[in-house]
Amino acid sequence: MLLSLENGLDLDYDLYNSKSSVDNVLIIPGLFQTKQDWRPVASTMKKNVCAINLRGTGQSTLGNPIPPFTNPPEINVMQLASDVFEIISHLKWTRFSVLGSCIGGAIAVQLGLLMRGRDDMSITELVFVNASVLCPSQGSNLVTTIGKALESVKDGCLDAQFMNSLSLSNQKVSPFQTSHSILEEYLFMIQDLNLTDQLQHLSIKSTVLHTTGNKMIAVHYGQMISEQLGSKWIPFNGRDHWLHLTAPEVVAKLVS
């Protein structure tokens, strides 16, 4: 599905509806993840689920330039959280949980900050899966992986071979539609990312799940989120960053 906004921005999302449920869950994928990759999780939940593609990935576009500039605005966490808010408003959800993976966790935090003080809608729960709210450097290879992706992207896509090389499992990862310039913008955004001092301003029930041997985003980044928010902490034995593919039933059960 596409939500088209007046600024020329198209936001790509899928809906999984449970007729018997009034519970809503928003899934924010991380970089190199698509809404399609989250289908095993979304289809398992007995809830109303919306999974999105981030701006500039999949069928989600960058929007139009803002005059006098000739290029679309640079990608940043505030902008991505605002995109998510546009989708939530379109769906007319007033209460919902948010599941953020990888940098999707930082976007979820920014969304929570944007929505503070609203009495017309609220986030009931934040769930972080192998996520970080600051640039993962020590013991992590996310930035290095983006560098490799910049060398590998062709014809607006990272093919299945490259994507599958990122996973330690036998699960097939969907091709990732993006461009060299957009990946560069995400790289710059991640290198400047640090929302750690903002976590203290959130008072939302939260859960953190992180693989203990994760090389993409090391486990101490998940522990930091848990400690700052007072979250329920769930370490998961293994190394795979793609738990939504390798253990979808575990991830699906995280949202209460």
Side-chain angles (χ1 to χ4, degrees), residues 34 47 49 102 123 129 145 196 201 213 220-221 228 242 246 254:
T34 69
K47 305 174 186 292
V49 182
C102 188
I123 298 174
V129 179
T145 301
T196 52
H201 301 300
H220 57 263
Y221 290 97
Q228 292 278 346
W242 312 97
T246 58
L254 291 176

Side-chain angles (χ1 to χ4, degrees), residues 42-88:
S43 59
T44 302
M45 291 181 176
K46 295 181 180 179
K47 305 174 186 292
N48 302 313
V49 182
C50 176
I52 72 170
N53 276 336
L54 299 178
R55 178 183 289 233
T57 70
Q59 298 302 311
S60 291
T61 63
L62 290 177
N64 296 329
I66 300 175
F69 301 102
T70 57
N71 294 317
E74 292 185 356
I75 295 171
N76 59 66
V77 175
M78 179 72 76
Q79 180 192 72
L80 294 171
S82 297
D83 293 346
V84 173
F85 184 80
E86 290 283 2
I87 293 175
I88 292 299

Side-chain angles (χ1 to χ4, degrees), residues 65-250:
I66 300 175
F69 301 102
T70 57
N71 294 317
E74 292 185 356
I75 295 171
N76 59 66
V77 175
M78 179 72 76
Q79 180 192 72
L80 294 171
S82 297
D83 293 346
V84 173
F85 184 80
E86 290 283 2
I87 293 175
I88 292 299
S89 299
H90 173 70
L91 295 175
K92 295 181 171 57
W93 286 359
T94 57
R95 290 173 55 84
F96 54 95
S97 302
V98 181
L99 189 159
S101 175
C102 188
I103 64 168
I107 299 168
V109 167
Q110 187 65 70
L111 178 65
L113 294 169
L114 285 175
M115 291 180 55
R116 282 184 304 165
R118 297 187 68 101
D119 55 11
D120 58 335
M121 60 173 64
S122 62
I123 298 174
T124 57
E125 184 177 17
L126 291 172
V127 176
F128 301 89
V129 179
N130 287 331
S132 180
V133 297
L134 76 160
C135 179
S137 54
Q138 184 180 1
S140 306
N141 60 17
L142 178 60
V143 172
T144 302
T145 301
I146 299 174
K148 293 179 180 178
L150 286 170
E151 298 173 356
S152 302
V153 64
K154 295 179 181 178
D155 300 322
C157 187
L158 289 168
D159 64 22
Q161 182 177 358
F162 178 86
M163 294 304 299
N164 287 331
S165 72
L166 301 181
S167 177
L168 298 173
S169 72
N170 293 322
Q171 299 290 330
K172 291 184 178 180
V173 182
S174 301
F176 189 69
Q177 293 178 266
T178 189
S179 70
H180 189 279
S181 61
I182 292 171
L183 279 177
E184 281 189 328
E185 288 196 34
Y186 274 104
L187 174 59
F188 297 149
M189 183 195 80
I190 291 170
Q191 288 175 327
D192 292 335
L193 181 64
N194 191 345
L195 295 178
T196 52
D197 61 340
Q198 299 298 309
L199 293 175
Q200 62 182 314
H201 301 300
L202 292 179
S203 56
I204 304 172
K205 175 185 176 182
S206 56
T207 300
V208 179
L209 172 70
H210 213 106
T211 44
T212 55
N214 194 324
K215 297 299 182 183
M216 190 79 79
I217 297 177
V219 67
H220 57 263
Y221 290 97
Q223 290 173 319
M224 184 274 296
I225 296 174
S226 178
E227 292 168 2
Q228 292 278 346
L229 289 179
S231 310
K232 180 179 181 181
W233 167 245
I234 306 177
F236 190 88
N237 291 331
R239 298 183 297 155
D240 204 340
H241 186 63
W242 312 97
L243 284 182
H244 54 292
L245 292 175
T246 58
E249 69 288 345
V250 173

